[in-house]
Amino acid sequence: MKKIEHIGIAVKNIDESNKIYSKLLNQNPYKIEEVLSEYVKTSFFKIGDSKIELLEATSSESAIAKFIEKKGEGIHHIAFDVEDIHSEISRLKKEGFVVLNEIPKKGADNKWVCFVHPKSANGVLIELCQEIK
Ligand code: ZN
């Protein structure tokens, strides 16, 4: 794992939250992107080497919708940048972590992503991400 790539925050209304985080971070999001397969709309802000990702559900099927229903808005996941997502997945599986998708999927912001179940990591959903080159 190289660094914290981003922190994902579940929000109800991404347009409203973009305004709040634009003020907070004193910059506009550099990217707004819908991920159809995940039923989410995302926006990204850069802070040094890390990012903040805001996520709004576009369907009640979305994991973000379910998260907000259960816990309300707030931090949804922490994403780590990895060199080789396949070797990290097999390493974590050997260590006993519950990997939610063993085959990396295409996430937002040009990344291969894989999620580790929060029950494996003290209640925190972990995302591994590797830039698609
Ligand atoms: Zn993320």
Side-chain angles (χ1 to χ4, degrees), residues 5-9 42 44 53 55 76-79 108 113 115 127 129:
E5 215 281 333
H6 64 268
I7 293 175
I9 299 173
T42 65
F44 286 88
E53 174 186 29
L55 304 111
H76 176 258
H77 63 270
I78 295 180
V113 301
F115 288 93
E127 175 184 342
C129 59

Side-chain angles (χ1 to χ4, degrees), residues 29-94:
Y30 70 89
K31 186 185 270 187
I32 294 173
E33 185 183 352
E34 191 164 342
V35 185
L36 294 171
S37 57
E38 299 291 319
Y39 308 108
V40 290
K41 202 171 161 189
T42 65
S43 63
F44 286 88
F45 297 82
K46 256 194 189 107
I47 315 108
D49 270 349
S50 301
K51 296 163 190 163
I52 295 289
E53 174 186 29
L54 304 181
L55 304 111
E56 181 199 278
T58 54
S59 151
S60 53
E61 293 300 295
S62 164
I64 295 300
K66 288 170 191 159
F67 178 89
I68 287 178
E69 202 177 294
K70 258 200 255 171
K71 301 189 174 176
E73 292 182 298
I75 293 180
H76 176 258
H77 63 270
I78 295 180
F80 295 102
D81 191 11
V82 300
E83 199 83 58
D84 178 349
I85 197 164
H86 294 280
S87 71
E88 279 299 324
I89 289 169
S90 50
R91 186 183 70 81
L92 292 177
K93 275 179 63 190
K94 270 185 217 141

